Amino acid sequence: MDLYFVKKLRKIVVLSLSITLIAAFMIVGCNQSNSPTGLQVQSNDELYVITTLSILADMAKNVVGEYGKVEYIVPVGNNPEDYELIPSDIRRIDDADVLFVNGLGLEETIIESLGNVGRTQIAYVTDGVPTINLIGSSDPDPHAWLDVSLAKIYVENIYKIVAEIDPANSQHYSTNADAYISELNKLDSYIKDTLNSIPENNRVIVISENAMKYFGDAYGFHTEGIWELNSHEEGTPQQISRIIEIVNDRNLPAIFSETTLDPRYMEMISKETGVPIAGSLYTDALGYKGSEGDTYIKMMKYNTNLLVEGLR
């Protein structure tokens, strides 16, 4: 059977199961009293926040601190663009006070599977973020967190929502958010200062998915990918030939793979051009616990240092 139809069939099955589970949760929810605004903590327990991405969870943890629990859905190492919810994900979302999503088209498969999750508020952390379009499209690129100045907007949005849901601890959330934003300001300065050592001619980032556009716009790099977004058609001969030509024409010292993607396409380009892969950049997810990229700040520093190693 054609791979395209297999993937579509899997999504239909998962969606049907998700809708059934959501309907069951909603029936239970009808017998419970809701707050007038729908924005208060669902029970006497601590605030429970769930996010789609590990990156968003790390940001939320820095805001919530010890006053709540934060978890995420898409496992580290998985692609958020085509991740399909499992029943335990639905249950966790329904138990949460808020689900933070990136939006901008990144988690369409997840959002399509949710429908209405009862009392759980869905909040978009990219509200108010200026966007960059995918090349050849009017759709926005969703990877805005790779510009630290935009990540601060994420944090401000997270703070506003959790403070509204749990006003009793709003001052704590405000203090935590301010402290974290101060650390992000330091991170932004670190990235700019460190990248200054890369020559202008080498300031080109070539990876599988063209996810680094916001990073490039913020820190002075041209970015190229074999494809634009992982949920789109990827790895065609024409796309690969175009990147080989770019790498050869620019005489680049290095190209890069990504931690959440199969490196074989980049290995093919490396073999054809003779240009080495300097390492794997963190784009769609944090690293595993204990790795050099297991927090947002650490992953951004790691990416910065890897770019310097490869392109200087």
Side-chain angles (χ1 to χ4, degrees), residues 227-244:
W227 56 83
E228 278 294 287
L229 196 65
N230 288 331
S231 58
H232 294 182
E233 183 181 13
E234 46 192 69
T236 66
Q238 293 81 4
Q239 290 172 326
I240 293 170
S241 295
R242 187 185 74 86
I243 292 298
I244 289 172

Side-chain angles (χ1 to χ4, degrees), residues 243-310:
I243 292 298
I244 289 172
E245 185 175 346
I246 289 170
V247 172
N248 285 331
D249 288 348
R250 299 296 293 259
N251 195 27
L252 297 177
I255 57 178
F256 301 88
S257 57
E258 296 162 80
T259 60
T260 54
L261 294 180
D262 190 324
R264 284 179 291 181
Y265 286 113
M266 296 312 297
E267 289 169 353
M268 184 188 310
I269 290 168
S270 177
K271 182 177 180 181
E272 289 294 324
T273 60
V275 175
I277 298 173
S280 294
L281 296 167
Y282 293 100
T283 54
D284 286 332
L286 299 180
Y288 292 100
K289 187 174 182 180
S291 71
E292 295 175 292
D294 64 1
T295 71
Y296 173 72
I297 288 176
K298 286 171 67 177
M299 74 166 250
M300 292 297 289
K301 284 186 175 181
Y302 177 86
N303 284 354
T304 298
N305 295 331
L306 182 60
L307 290 169
V308 170
E309 287 176 19

